Amino acid sequence: KSSVFVARIASLIMKDNVMPEKVLGLTFTKDASENVRNRLNSYIGQSKAKKIDMSTFHSFAYRFLKREFPNEYANINIIQSWMENSIASDIVGKPNRNNPNGLGLGILPAQLVSFVSYQKANLVRKGDEVILTNKTKELEDIVGRRLLQSAFDIYCTQVSSNRVYSFDDLLLETYYLLLNDDELLNKVRNSYEYILVDEFQDTSTANMEILKLIGNDNLFVVGDFRQSIYSFSSAEVDNVLEFKNEFDDVEIIELEDNFRSTDA
């Protein structure tokens, strides 16, 4: 799949004469992004490859916020795992004089952190009604909707008061800023002639909705529903399964030949 992703970008630039800076390539890890750029160096040359906007979804959102809102997002500090655990530990713990945020949830801090991440990946903000699905059923059975709602809102308040952002927050902020500002959305749309996404089966709802906003009949994705490996981190495999129903004029090309494993 990644070979197709790389070859598509190279073809756009070398055969279709697309300006490299008009191409947005999105991956899921920094290593994957760097690997794609290194492979492009050999196809189109380093000078052209470095002009391509190649990044992870989170890096794309980070740069968008810094570029378009330099005052509001001048200092984006990403929350550290120890702080996430500390905030969650207080909330799941029993309430007392030293822990006014305690709700006595009877779950692990990591479970609450995961729940919050799932909500934000589904574009739920503080004050919005939390989403409960099969993926959250275990927590719902233990804690109940009311306390999960309270836990989510308290967690969001604590994170905000510490002036830090999670990676999920970057996507959340980006989505709603684009959704509510047509001029800004058109600016971003006009920045790219082609948008390409690798490992599309690992996209979350937030990823998908951002793509639906910034895409303008110029989206190319590569994915395999059988290889959805990030389901534990809010990936929605339905994004690839239902792609043809979410966008117009979709052409699906099946990659049926495996050249990595042969009879030899």
Side-chain angles (χ1 to χ4, degrees):
K1 299 192 305 299
S2 294
S3 295
V4 173
F5 182 71
V6 172
R8 170 66 172 171
I9 295 175
S11 178
L12 288 172
I13 295 169
M14 299 303 291
K15 294 183 178 180
D16 298 329
N17 298 314
V18 176
M19 297 174 63
E21 53 269 32
K22 287 290 187 176
V23 175
L24 172 63
L26 295 168
T27 64
F28 280 86
T29 67
K30 183 178 179 181
D31 286 345
S33 179
E34 292 176 350
N35 178 262
V36 169
R37 194 182 298 279
N38 288 335
R39 292 170 67 178
L40 282 168
N41 288 340
S42 62
Y43 280 97
I44 63 177
Q46 187 173 10
S47 61
K48 290 183 179 179
K50 70 179 182 181
K51 294 179 182 179
I52 299 170
D53 193 344
M54 180 69 59
S55 67
T56 64
F57 276 92
H58 295 127
S59 179
F60 169 78
Y62 176 88
R63 288 184 286 107
F64 163 78
L65 294 171
K66 298 274 284 187
R67 180 182 67 249
E68 301 297 337
F69 302 92
N71 294 327
E72 296 90 331
Y73 298 97
N75 297 305
I76 297 180
N77 296 312
I78 301 299
I79 189 170
Q80 300 296 306
S81 57
W82 66 264
M83 184 180 289
E84 288 181 320
N85 186 69
S86 177
I87 293 172
S89 293
D90 286 345
I91 297 171
V92 303
K94 293 181 179 180
N96 56 50
R97 183 175 59 183
N98 297 319
N99 183 26
N101 291 322
L103 296 176
L105 301 184
I107 60 175
L108 297 174
Q111 290 177 286
L112 176 58
V113 172
S114 179
F115 177 79
V116 170
S117 178
Y118 180 74
Q119 297 304 313
K120 292 182 177 182
N122 282 280
L123 302 173
V124 178
R125 295 178 291 183
K126 175 190 171 185
D128 293 341
E129 186 174 337
V130 294
I131 296 174
L132 300 179
T133 66
N134 288 336
K135 292 185 178 182
T136 63
K137 186 174 185 350
E138 180 181 356
L139 287 185
E140 183 182 6
D141 290 342
I142 297 173
V143 178
R145 171 182 283 277
R146 182 182 63 81
L147 284 178
L148 282 174
Q149 182 73 59
S150 297
F152 175 75
D153 289 336
I154 292 172
Y155 186 98
C156 291
T157 297
Q158 291 300 104
V159 169
S160 179
S161 66
N162 281 280
R163 298 183 179 180
V164 291
Y165 297 86
S166 68
F167 287 115
D168 295 308
D169 289 326
L170 301 182
L171 298 178
L172 194 65
E173 299 277 323
T174 295
Y175 171 75
Y176 281 106
L177 287 168
L178 289 171
L179 180 67
N180 295 312
D181 189 331
D182 289 340
E183 183 177 350
L184 179 60
L185 176 58
N186 287 329
K187 178 181 178 181
V188 174
R189 277 187 162 192
N190 293 332
S191 296
Y192 306 108
E193 289 184 28
Y194 293 91
I195 301 173
L196 304 96
V197 184
D198 197 12
E199 304 294 357
F200 191 73
Q201 73 278 354
D202 297 326
T203 50
S204 67
T205 297
N207 298 146
M208 182 66 159
E209 293 304 316
I210 289 173
L211 289 171
K212 286 164 68 174
L213 285 176
I214 66 175
N216 189 22
D217 295 328
N218 61 349
L219 182 62
F220 173 92
V221 307
V222 182
D224 183 350
F225 69 90
R226 292 169 292 251
Q227 295 182 0
S228 183
I229 63 173
Y230 288 113
S231 58
F232 60 89
S233 58
S234 304
E236 292 292 344
V237 70
D238 282 349
N239 287 347
V240 68
L241 295 174
E242 297 296 324
F243 186 85
K244 63 182 181 297
N245 298 322
E246 295 291 339
F247 297 91
D248 297 327
D249 300 321
V250 173
E251 179 182 0
I252 298 177
I253 301 173
E254 298 281 351
L255 302 178
E256 297 178 335
D257 296 318
N258 185 348
F259 296 102
R260 180 176 296 173
S261 302
T262 67
D263 292 338

Coordinates of all heavy atoms in Angstrom, one line a residue, residues 99-176:
N99 N -9.0 15.9 47.7 CA -9.3 15.5 46.3 C -10.8 15.9 46.0 O -11.6 15.0 46.0 CB -9.1 14.0 46.2 CG -9.3 13.6 44.7 OD1 -9.2 14.4 43.8 ND2 -9.7 12.3 44.5
P100 N -11.0 17.2 45.8 CA -12.4 17.6 45.6 C -13.0 17.1 44.2 O -14.2 17.0 44.0 CB -12.3 19.1 45.6 CG -10.9 19.4 45.2 CD -10.1 18.3 45.8
N101 N -12.1 16.6 43.3 CA -12.5 16.2 42.0 C -12.8 14.7 42.0 O -13.3 14.1 41.0 CB -11.5 16.4 40.9 CG -11.3 17.9 40.7 OD1 -12.3 18.7 40.6 ND2 -10.1 18.4 40.4
G102 N -12.6 14.0 43.1 CA -12.8 12.6 43.2 C -14.3 12.2 43.0 O -15.2 12.8 43.6
L103 N -14.5 11.1 42.2 CA -15.9 10.6 41.9 C -16.0 9.2 42.3 O -17.1 8.7 42.2 CB -16.2 10.8 40.4 CG -16.2 12.2 39.8 CD1 -16.5 12.1 38.3 CD2 -17.3 13.0 40.5
G104 N -14.9 8.6 42.8 CA -15.0 7.2 43.3 C -15.5 6.3 42.2 O -16.5 5.5 42.4
L105 N -14.9 6.3 41.0 CA -15.5 5.6 39.9 C -15.2 4.1 39.9 O -15.9 3.3 39.2 CB -14.9 6.1 38.5 CG -15.2 7.6 38.3 CD1 -14.6 8.0 36.9 CD2 -16.7 7.9 38.4
G106 N -14.2 3.6 40.6 CA -13.9 2.2 40.6 C -13.3 1.7 39.4 O -13.4 0.5 39.1
I107 N -12.6 2.5 38.6 CA -11.9 2.1 37.4 C -10.4 2.6 37.5 O -10.1 3.4 38.4 CB -12.5 2.6 36.1 CG1 -12.5 4.1 36.1 CG2 -13.9 2.0 36.0 CD1 -13.1 4.7 34.8
L108 N -9.6 2.1 36.6 CA -8.2 2.5 36.6 C -8.1 3.9 35.9 O -8.9 4.2 35.0 CB -7.4 1.5 35.8 CG -7.3 0.1 36.4 CD1 -6.5 -0.8 35.4 CD2 -6.6 0.2 37.8
P109 N -7.1 4.7 36.3 CA -6.9 6.0 35.6 C -6.7 5.8 34.1 O -7.2 6.7 33.3 CB -5.6 6.5 36.3 CG -5.6 5.9 37.6 CD -6.2 4.5 37.4
A110 N -6.0 4.8 33.7 CA -5.8 4.6 32.3 C -7.1 4.4 31.5 O -7.2 4.8 30.3 CB -4.8 3.4 32.0
Q111 N -8.1 3.8 32.2 CA -9.3 3.6 31.5 C -10.1 4.9 31.3 O -10.7 5.1 30.2 CB -10.2 2.6 32.4 CG -9.7 1.2 32.4 CD -10.6 0.3 33.3 OE1 -10.5 0.4 34.5 NE2 -11.5 -0.5 32.7
L112 N -9.9 5.8 32.2 CA -10.6 7.1 32.0 C -9.8 7.9 31.0 O -10.5 8.5 30.1 CB -10.5 7.9 33.4 CG -11.1 9.3 33.3 CD1 -12.5 9.3 32.7 CD2 -11.0 10.0 34.6
V113 N -8.5 7.8 30.9 CA -7.7 8.5 29.9 C -8.2 8.0 28.5 O -8.3 8.8 27.6 CB -6.2 8.3 30.1 CG1 -5.4 8.9 28.9 CG2 -5.8 9.0 31.4
S114 N -8.3 6.7 28.4 CA -8.7 6.1 27.1 C -10.1 6.5 26.7 O -10.4 6.8 25.6 CB -8.6 4.6 27.2 OG -9.1 4.0 26.0
F115 N -11.0 6.6 27.7 CA -12.4 7.0 27.5 C -12.4 8.5 27.0 O -13.1 8.8 26.0 CB -13.2 6.9 28.8 CG -14.6 7.4 28.6 CD1 -15.6 6.6 28.0 CD2 -15.0 8.7 29.1 CE1 -16.9 7.1 27.9 CE2 -16.3 9.1 29.0 CZ -17.3 8.3 28.4
V116 N -11.6 9.3 27.6 CA -11.6 10.7 27.2 C -11.1 10.9 25.8 O -11.6 11.6 24.9 CB -10.7 11.6 28.2 CG1 -10.5 13.0 27.6 CG2 -11.4 11.7 29.5
S117 N -10.0 10.1 25.5 CA -9.4 10.1 24.1 C -10.5 9.7 23.1 O -10.6 10.3 22.0 CB -8.2 9.2 24.1 OG -7.6 9.2 22.8
Y118 N -11.2 8.7 23.4 CA -12.3 8.2 22.5 C -13.3 9.2 22.2 O -13.8 9.4 21.1 CB -12.9 6.9 23.1 CG -14.0 6.3 22.3 CD1 -13.7 5.6 21.1 CD2 -15.3 6.5 22.6 CE1 -14.7 5.1 20.3 CE2 -16.3 5.9 21.8 CZ -16.0 5.2 20.7 OH -17.0 4.7 19.9
Q119 N -13.7 9.9 23.3 CA -14.7 11.0 23.1 C -14.2 12.1 22.2 O -14.8 12.6 21.3 CB -15.1 11.6 24.5 CG -15.7 10.6 25.4 CD -17.0 10.0 24.8 OE1 -17.8 10.6 24.3 NE2 -17.1 8.6 25.0
K120 N -12.9 12.5 22.4 CA -12.4 13.6 21.6 C -12.1 13.2 20.2 O -12.3 14.0 19.3 CB -11.1 14.1 22.3 CG -11.3 14.8 23.6 CD -10.0 15.4 24.2 CE -10.2 16.1 25.5 NZ -9.0 16.7 26.1
A121 N -11.8 11.9 20.0 CA -11.6 11.4 18.7 C -12.9 11.3 17.9 O -12.9 11.3 16.7 CB -11.0 10.0 18.7
N122 N -14.0 11.4 18.7 CA -15.3 11.4 18.1 C -15.9 12.8 18.1 O -17.1 13.0 18.0 CB -16.2 10.4 18.7 CG -16.0 9.0 18.2 OD1 -16.5 8.6 17.2 ND2 -15.2 8.2 19.0
L123 N -15.0 13.8 18.3 CA -15.4 15.2 18.3 C -16.3 15.7 19.4 O -17.1 16.7 19.2 CB -16.0 15.6 16.9 CG -15.0 15.2 15.7 CD1 -15.8 15.4 14.4 CD2 -13.8 16.1 15.7
V124 N -16.2 15.1 20.5 CA -17.0 15.5 21.7 C -16.2 16.5 22.5 O -15.0 16.2 22.8 CB -17.3 14.3 22.6 CG1 -18.1 14.7 23.8 CG2 -18.2 13.3 21.8
R125 N -16.7 17.6 22.8 CA -16.1 18.6 23.6 C -16.7 18.7 25.0 O -17.7 18.1 25.2 CB -16.2 20.0 22.9 CG -15.5 20.1 21.6 CD -15.7 21.5 20.9 NE -17.1 21.7 20.5 CZ -17.6 22.8 19.9 NH1 -16.7 23.7 19.6 NH2 -18.8 22.9 19.5
K126 N -16.0 19.4 25.9 CA -16.5 19.6 27.2 C -17.9 20.2 27.1 O -18.2 21.2 26.4 CB -15.6 20.5 28.0 CG -16.1 20.9 29.4 CD -15.3 22.0 30.0 CE -16.0 22.5 31.3 NZ -15.3 23.6 31.9
G127 N -18.8 19.6 27.9 CA -20.2 20.0 27.9 C -21.1 19.3 26.9 O -22.3 19.3 27.0
D128 N -20.5 18.7 25.9 CA -21.2 17.9 24.9 C -21.6 16.6 25.6 O -20.9 16.1 26.5 CB -20.4 17.6 23.7 CG -20.1 18.8 22.8 OD1 -20.9 19.8 23.0 OD2 -19.2 18.8 22.0
E129 N -22.7 16.0 25.1 CA -23.0 14.7 25.7 C -22.1 13.6 25.2 O -21.7 13.5 24.0 CB -24.4 14.3 25.2 CG -25.0 13.0 25.8 CD -26.4 12.8 25.4 OE1 -27.1 13.8 25.1 OE2 -26.9 11.6 25.5
V130 N -21.5 12.8 26.1 CA -20.6 11.8 25.8 C -21.2 10.7 24.9 O -22.4 10.5 25.0 CB -19.9 11.1 27.0 CG1 -19.1 12.2 27.8 CG2 -21.0 10.5 27.9
I131 N -20.4 10.1 24.1 CA -20.9 9.0 23.2 C -20.6 7.7 23.9 O -19.5 7.4 24.3 CB -20.1 9.1 21.8 CG1 -20.5 10.4 21.1 CG2 -20.5 7.9 21.0 CD1 -19.7 10.6 19.9
L132 N -21.6 6.9 24.0 CA -21.5 5.5 24.5 C -21.8 4.5 23.4 O -22.9 4.5 22.9 CB -22.4 5.4 25.7 CG -22.1 6.3 26.9 CD1 -23.1 6.1 28.0 CD2 -20.7 6.2 27.4
T133 N -20.8 3.6 23.2 CA -21.0 2.6 22.1 C -20.5 1.3 22.7 O -20.2 1.1 23.9 CB -20.1 3.0 20.9 OG1 -18.7 2.9 21.3 CG2 -20.4 4.4 20.4
N134 N -20.4 0.3 21.8 CA -19.9 -1.0 22.2 C -18.5 -0.9 22.8 O -18.1 -1.7 23.6 CB -19.9 -2.0 21.1 CG -21.3 -2.4 20.7 OD1 -22.2 -2.4 21.5 ND2 -21.5 -2.8 19.4
K135 N -17.7 0.1 22.3 CA -16.3 0.3 22.8 C -16.3 0.8 24.2 O -15.3 0.7 24.8 CB -15.6 1.2 21.8 CG -15.3 0.6 20.4 CD -14.5 1.5 19.6 CE -14.2 0.8 18.2 NZ -13.3 1.7 17.4
T136 N -17.4 1.4 24.7 CA -17.4 2.0 26.0 C -18.3 1.2 27.0 O -18.5 1.7 28.1 CB -17.8 3.5 26.0 OG1 -19.1 3.6 25.5 CG2 -16.9 4.3 25.1
K137 N -18.9 0.2 26.5 CA -19.9 -0.6 27.2 C -19.4 -1.0 28.6 O -20.1 -1.0 29.6 CB -20.4 -1.7 26.4 CG -21.6 -2.4 27.1 CD -22.2 -3.5 26.3 CE -23.5 -4.1 26.9 NZ -23.8 -3.8 28.2
E138 N -18.1 -1.5 28.6 CA -17.6 -2.0 29.9 C -17.6 -0.9 31.0 O -18.0 -1.1 32.1 CB -16.2 -2.5 29.7 CG -15.6 -3.1 31.0 CD -14.1 -3.6 30.8 OE1 -13.7 -3.6 29.6 OE2 -13.5 -4.0 31.8
L139 N -17.1 0.3 30.6 CA -17.1 1.4 31.5 C -18.5 1.8 31.9 O -18.8 2.2 33.0 CB -16.3 2.6 30.9 CG -14.8 2.4 30.8 CD1 -14.2 3.8 30.3 CD2 -14.2 2.1 32.2
E140 N -19.4 1.9 30.9 CA -20.8 2.3 31.2 C -21.4 1.3 32.2 O -22.2 1.8 33.1 CB -21.6 2.3 29.9 CG -23.0 2.8 30.1 CD -23.8 2.7 28.8 OE1 -23.3 2.2 27.8 OE2 -25.0 3.2 28.8
D141 N -21.2 0.0 32.1 CA -21.7 -0.9 33.0 C -21.2 -0.7 34.4 O -21.9 -0.9 35.4 CB -21.4 -2.3 32.6 CG -22.2 -2.7 31.3 OD1 -23.2 -2.1 31.0 OD2 -21.8 -3.7 30.6
I142 N -19.9 -0.3 34.5 CA -19.3 -0.1 35.9 C -19.7 1.2 36.5 O -20.0 1.3 37.6 CB -17.8 -0.2 35.8 CG1 -17.4 -1.6 35.3 CG2 -17.1 0.1 37.1 CD1 -15.9 -1.8 35.0
V143 N -19.6 2.3 35.6 CA -19.7 3.6 36.1 C -21.1 4.3 35.9 O -21.6 5.0 36.8 CB -18.6 4.5 35.5 CG1 -18.7 6.0 35.9 CG2 -17.2 4.0 35.7
G144 N -21.6 4.0 34.8 CA -22.9 4.7 34.4 C -22.7 6.0 33.7 O -21.7 6.6 33.8
R145 N -23.7 6.3 32.9 CA -23.6 7.5 32.0 C -23.3 8.8 32.8 O -22.5 9.6 32.4 CB -24.8 7.7 31.1 CG -24.9 9.0 30.3 CD -26.1 9.1 29.5 NE -26.1 8.3 28.3 CZ -25.5 8.7 27.2 NH1 -24.8 9.9 27.1 NH2 -25.5 8.0 26.1
R146 N -24.1 9.0 33.8 CA -24.0 10.3 34.5 C -22.6 10.6 35.1 O -22.1 11.7 34.9 CB -25.0 10.3 35.7 CG -25.1 11.6 36.5 CD -26.0 11.5 37.6 NE -25.6 10.5 38.6 CZ -24.7 10.7 39.6 NH1 -24.1 11.9 39.7 NH2 -24.4 9.8 40.4
L147 N -22.0 9.6 35.7 CA -20.7 9.8 36.2 C -19.6 9.8 35.1 O -18.6 10.6 35.3 CB -20.3 8.6 37.2 CG -21.0 8.8 38.6 CD1 -20.6 7.6 39.5 CD2 -20.6 10.1 39.3
L148 N -19.8 9.1 34.1 CA -18.9 9.2 32.9 C -18.9 10.6 32.3 O -17.9 11.2 32.0 CB -19.2 8.2 31.9 CG -18.7 6.7 32.1 CD1 -19.3 5.8 31.1 CD2 -17.2 6.6 32.2
Q149 N -20.1 11.2 32.3 CA -20.2 12.6 31.8 C -19.5 13.5 32.7 O -18.7 14.4 32.2 CB -21.7 12.9 31.7 CG -22.0 14.3 31.1 CD -21.7 14.4 29.6 OE1 -22.3 13.7 28.9 NE2 -20.8 15.3 29.2
S150 N -19.7 13.4 34.0 CA -19.0 14.2 34.9 C -17.5 14.1 34.9 O -16.8 15.1 34.9 CB -19.5 13.9 36.4 OG -20.9 14.2 36.5
A151 N -17.1 12.8 34.8 CA -15.6 12.6 34.7 C -15.0 13.2 33.5 O -13.9 13.8 33.6 CB -15.4 11.1 34.7
F152 N -15.7 13.1 32.4 CA -15.2 13.7 31.1 C -15.1 15.2 31.2 O -14.0 15.8 30.9 CB -16.1 13.3 30.0 CG -15.7 14.0 28.7 CD1 -14.6 13.5 27.9 CD2 -16.5 15.0 28.2 CE1 -14.3 14.1 26.7 CE2 -16.1 15.6 27.0 CZ -15.0 15.2 26.3
D153 N -16.1 15.8 31.7 CA -16.1 17.3 31.8 C -15.1 17.8 32.8 O -14.4 18.8 32.6 CB -17.5 17.8 32.3 CG -18.5 17.6 31.2 OD1 -18.1 17.6 30.0 OD2 -19.8 17.6 31.5
I154 N -14.9 17.1 34.0 CA -13.9 17.5 34.9 C -12.5 17.3 34.4 O -11.6 18.2 34.5 CB -14.1 16.7 36.2 CG1 -15.4 17.0 36.9 CG2 -12.9 16.9 37.2 CD1 -15.7 16.1 38.1
Y155 N -12.3 16.2 33.7 CA -11.0 16.0 33.1 C -10.6 17.1 32.1 O -9.5 17.6 32.1 CB -11.0 14.6 32.4 CG -9.7 14.2 31.8 CD1 -8.8 13.3 32.5 CD2 -9.2 14.7 30.6 CE1 -7.6 13.0 32.0 CE2 -8.0 14.3 30.1 CZ -7.2 13.4 30.8 OH -5.9 13.1 30.3
C156 N -11.6 17.4 31.2 CA -11.4 18.5 30.2 C -11.0 19.8 30.9 O -10.2 20.6 30.5 CB -12.6 18.7 29.3 SG -12.9 17.3 28.2
T157 N -11.8 20.1 32.0 CA -11.5 21.4 32.7 C -10.1 21.4 33.3 O -9.4 22.4 33.3 CB -12.6 21.5 33.9 OG1 -13.9 21.6 33.3 CG2 -12.3 22.8 34.7
Q158 N -9.7 20.3 33.9 CA -8.4 20.2 34.5 C -7.3 20.3 33.5 O -6.3 21.0 33.7 CB -8.2 18.9 35.3 CG -9.1 18.8 36.5 CD -8.7 19.9 37.5 OE1 -9.5 20.9 37.7 NE2 -7.6 19.7 38.2
V159 N -7.4 19.7 32.3 CA -6.4 19.8 31.3 C -6.3 21.3 30.8 O -5.2 21.8 30.6 CB -6.8 18.9 30.1 CG1 -5.9 19.2 28.9 CG2 -6.6 17.4 30.5
S160 N -7.5 21.9 30.6 CA -7.5 23.3 30.2 C -6.9 24.2 31.2 O -6.1 25.1 30.8 CB -9.0 23.7 29.9 OG -9.0 25.1 29.5
S161 N -7.1 24.0 32.5 CA -6.6 24.9 33.5 C -5.1 24.7 33.6 O -4.4 25.7 34.1 CB -7.2 24.5 34.9 OG -6.9 23.2 35.3
N162 N -4.5 23.6 33.2 CA -3.1 23.4 33.1 C -2.5 24.0 31.8 O -1.2 23.9 31.7 CB -2.7 22.0 33.3 CG -2.8 21.5 34.7 OD1 -1.9 21.7 35.5 ND2 -3.9 20.9 35.1
R163 N -3.3 24.5 31.0 CA -2.8 25.1 29.7 C -2.0 24.2 28.9 O -0.9 24.5 28.4 CB -2.1 26.4 30.0 CG -2.9 27.5 30.7 CD -2.2 28.7 30.9 NE -3.0 29.7 31.6 CZ -2.6 31.0 31.9 NH1 -1.3 31.4 31.6 NH2 -3.4 31.8 32.5
V164 N -2.5 23.0 28.7 CA -1.9 21.9 27.9 C -2.9 21.4 26.9 O -4.1 21.5 27.1 CB -1.2 20.8 28.7 CG1 0.0 21.4 29.5 CG2 -2.2 20.2 29.7
Y165 N -2.4 20.7 25.9 CA -3.3 20.1 24.9 C -2.8 18.6 24.8 O -1.7 18.3 24.8 CB -3.1 20.7 23.6 CG -3.6 22.2 23.5 CD1 -2.7 23.2 23.9 CD2 -4.9 22.5 23.2 CE1 -3.1 24.5 23.8 CE2 -5.3 23.8 23.1 CZ -4.4 24.8 23.5 OH -4.8 26.2 23.4
S166 N -3.8 17.8 24.5 CA -3.5 16.4 24.1 C -3.5 16.4 22.6 O -3.9 17.3 21.9 CB -4.6 15.4 24.6 OG -5.8 15.7 23.9
F167 N -2.9 15.3 22.0 CA -2.9 15.2 20.6 C -4.4 15.2 20.0 O -4.6 15.7 18.9 CB -2.2 13.9 20.1 CG -0.7 14.0 20.3 CD1 0.0 13.2 21.2 CD2 0.0 15.0 19.6 CE1 1.4 13.3 21.4 CE2 1.4 15.1 19.7 CZ 2.1 14.2 20.6
D168 N -5.3 14.6 20.8 CA -6.7 14.6 20.4 C -7.2 16.0 20.3 O -8.0 16.4 19.4 CB -7.5 13.8 21.3 CG -7.2 12.3 21.3 OD1 -7.1 11.7 20.2 OD2 -6.9 11.8 22.4
D169 N -6.8 16.9 21.2 CA -7.2 18.3 21.3 C -6.8 19.0 20.0 O -7.6 19.9 19.5 CB -6.6 19.0 22.5 CG -7.2 18.6 23.8 OD1 -8.4 18.2 23.8 OD2 -6.5 18.6 24.8
L170 N -5.7 18.7 19.5 CA -5.2 19.4 18.2 C -6.2 19.1 17.1 O -6.5 20.1 16.4 CB -3.8 18.9 17.9 CG -2.7 19.1 18.9 CD1 -1.4 18.6 18.3 CD2 -2.6 20.5 19.3
L171 N -6.6 17.9 17.0 CA -7.6 17.6 15.9 C -8.9 18.2 16.2 O -9.6 18.7 15.3 CB -7.7 16.1 15.7 CG -6.4 15.3 15.3 CD1 -6.7 13.8 15.3 CD2 -5.9 15.8 14.0
L172 N -9.3 18.1 17.5 CA -10.6 18.7 17.9 C -10.7 20.2 17.6 O -11.7 20.7 17.0 CB -10.8 18.4 19.4 CG -12.2 18.6 20.0 CD1 -13.2 17.5 19.4 CD2 -12.1 18.4 21.5
E173 N -9.7 20.9 18.0 CA -9.6 22.4 17.8 C -9.6 22.7 16.3 O -10.3 23.6 15.8 CB -8.4 22.9 18.4 CG -8.3 22.8 19.9 CD -9.1 23.8 20.7 OE1 -9.1 25.0 20.3 OE2 -9.7 23.5 21.7
T174 N -8.8 21.9 15.5 CA -8.7 22.2 14.1 C -10.1 22.0 13.4 O -10.5 22.8 12.6 CB -7.7 21.2 13.5 OG1 -6.4 21.6 14.0 CG2 -7.7 21.4 12.0
Y175 N -10.8 20.9 13.8 CA -12.1 20.6 13.1 C -13.1 21.7 13.4 O -13.7 22.2 12.4 CB -12.6 19.3 13.7 CG -14.0 19.0 13.2 CD1 -14.3 18.6 11.9 CD2 -15.1 19.2 14.1 CE1 -15.6 18.4 11.5 CE2 -16.4 19.0 13.7 CZ -16.7 18.6 12.4 OH -18.0 18.4 12.0
Y176 N -13.2 22.1 14.6 CA -14.3 23.1 14.9 C -13.9 24.5 14.4 O -14.8 25.3 14.0 CB -14.6 23.1 16.4 CG -15.5 22.0 16.8 CD1 -15.0 20.9 17.5 CD2 -16.8 21.9 16.4 CE1 -15.8 19.8 17.9 CE2 -17.6 20.9 16.8 CZ -17.1 19.8 17.5 OH -17.9 18.7 17.8

